[in-house]
Amino acid sequence: MNPNLTEVTVIGDDDTGVLTRVTSVLFEHDVELEELDQQEEQGVFRVKALADTSDADESALEADLAAACDDLDVDLRVRFPEDQGGDSLGILVTKESHCLEAMFEAVESGALDADVEVVIGNHSTLADIAEEHDVPFYDVGDENGNPDESEILRLLEEHGVDVVALARYIQIISPELVFHYENRIINVHPSLLPAFPGAAAYRQAVNGGARIAGVTAHYVTPNLDQGPIITQRAFNVPDDAEEADLKEQGQPLEADALIEAVRLHVQGALEVADGRTYVDDADADLGLPMEIRELNPSEPTDRN
């Protein structure tokens, strides 16, 4: 995404007239439309426009867009260039604490230049950790841990969150939440995606006879565990390893990969295009360290 462009996102359950109405408002304000995309997932429709609004009256444009979207009964989000690239972080959790604790440590040490504004869980298990760091915690799950996503959206907006980290948040994110924070939700999955997506990834690796396993931090899309990859970490799987052994090795790497991915996002070093990420940071820790690469054989190679 070009940070010099305004991002207009419209979300609803009916696409009737949305595209025409939104583009009409943009043209009425002499806005130059750079990119237009529409997508539908599970009955949720999204129109996203990137536009040059540098010569437009931003207040009037947003007001006219809001009026049009009210008429169509759809939700509007407008992010002008000055609203983008923030470091306000919201963290979603379930019961595993290691990623949450590591993120707080990284923020407090300065390794992650972000402000944790809120922690939201579908259980109350980790409330004490957030409170120890003077960050508000909200439990939005019912007795079975089913989250109220409308409440999540409200809380993220109330706390001015720009980027969302899923710190082992063991829930599938709905298309509506994804569309509201497109390319701003970062998850860490316990496998080297695209291998072993979905639940029980460490168990899948053991049962599949994997010799190398790992973790992947990626942007969240409506398609489970298929979002653009940001960082990965890997480790060997002993022949007699069990799921618990992989979990023990993987958890520190989960935290490490997630923190580096969030750091790159907040720094503005990530661009998403063609279904993948591009990184503008020569010091980014994207995968295995150089020492490992140097141990790999360099011969023979194909001379043709």
Side-chain angles (χ1 to χ4, degrees):
M1 186 184 68
N2 186 337
N4 297 315
L5 297 177
T6 293
E7 178 184 304
V8 178
T9 305
V10 178
I11 303 167
D13 55 10
D14 187 354
D15 63 350
T16 305
V18 172
L19 190 61
T20 300
R21 190 73 176 275
V22 170
T23 54
S24 294
V25 172
L26 293 175
F27 290 139
E28 287 167 5
H29 284 263
D30 296 322
V31 168
E32 184 175 347
L33 192 59
E34 300 286 345
E35 185 177 322
L36 184 64
D37 177 61
Q38 55 184 328
Q39 185 176 355
E40 185 173 0
E41 291 286 345
Q42 302 174 34
V44 180
F45 179 77
R46 185 271 285 147
V47 170
K48 184 175 182 179
L50 298 180
D52 183 355
T53 60
S54 55
D55 295 326
D57 182 327
E58 293 183 350
S59 297
L61 172 61
E62 188 168 14
D64 287 350
L65 284 169
C69 290
D70 284 344
D71 289 344
L72 295 167
D73 194 25
V74 291
D75 191 27
L76 170 71
R77 292 289 185 275
V78 180
R79 299 178 72 226
F80 293 105
E82 60 269 22
D83 301 325
Q84 301 176 29
D87 59 3
S88 299
L89 177 63
I91 304 177
L92 270 58
V93 297
T94 296
K95 293 183 177 180
E96 296 182 22
S97 65
H98 56 288
C99 284
L100 179 62
E101 291 178 311
M103 294 193 80
F104 275 126
E105 182 178 336
V107 168
E108 291 169 1
S109 69
L112 176 58
D113 187 13
D115 295 321
V116 182
E117 304 293 344
V118 63
V119 178
I120 304 171
N122 62 316
H123 293 278
S124 61
T125 308
L126 305 183
D128 289 350
I129 296 175
E131 291 168 5
E132 287 172 8
H133 296 273
D134 297 320
V135 172
F137 180 95
Y138 300 90
D139 177 6
V140 298
D142 63 16
E143 62 275 9
N144 297 315
N146 299 310
D148 181 346
E149 281 206 350
S150 62
E151 182 67 1
I152 292 176
L153 275 170
R154 188 191 69 78
L155 290 168
L156 293 176
E157 184 171 355
E158 177 184 312
H159 288 274
V161 168
D162 184 76
V163 56
V164 180
L166 307 186
R168 299 301 290 135
Y169 179 66
I170 315 300
Q171 294 291 313
I172 295 174
I173 302 294
S174 74
E176 183 174 4
L177 181 52
V178 171
F179 288 153
H180 276 88
Y181 286 86
E182 196 163 0
N183 294 335
R184 291 190 289 146
I185 303 177
I186 299 175
N187 181 47
V188 63
H189 180 74
S191 83
L192 291 173
L193 291 173
F196 311 128
Y202 289 139
R203 188 186 313 157
Q204 290 184 62
V206 170
N207 293 342
R211 298 307 186 188
I212 296 176
V215 305
T216 302
H218 64 96
Y219 283 118
V220 175
T221 67
N223 300 310
L224 182 65
D225 296 332
Q226 295 182 40
I229 291 169
I230 306 171
T231 59
Q232 293 186 305
R233 302 288 184 266
F235 57 89
N236 287 326
V237 180
D239 189 61
D240 60 350
E242 298 180 355
E243 180 182 2
D245 300 317
L246 269 64
K247 188 173 183 179
E248 182 178 359
Q249 291 191 74
Q251 283 188 342
L253 298 180
E254 292 168 13
D256 187 65
L258 180 61
I259 290 167
E260 177 68 351
V262 173
R263 184 190 72 80
L264 291 169
H265 177 98
V266 170
Q267 183 180 299
L270 295 174
E271 179 182 352
V272 179
D274 305 319
R276 57 158 294 179
T277 60
Y278 295 86
V279 182
D280 183 16
D281 184 339
D283 297 321
D285 190 4
L286 302 178
L288 292 173
M290 184 60 69
E291 306 89 86
I292 300 298
R293 180 178 175 181
E294 291 173 351
L295 291 174
N296 288 334
S298 59
E299 296 288 348
T301 56
D302 188 357
R303 302 303 183 186
N304 294 329

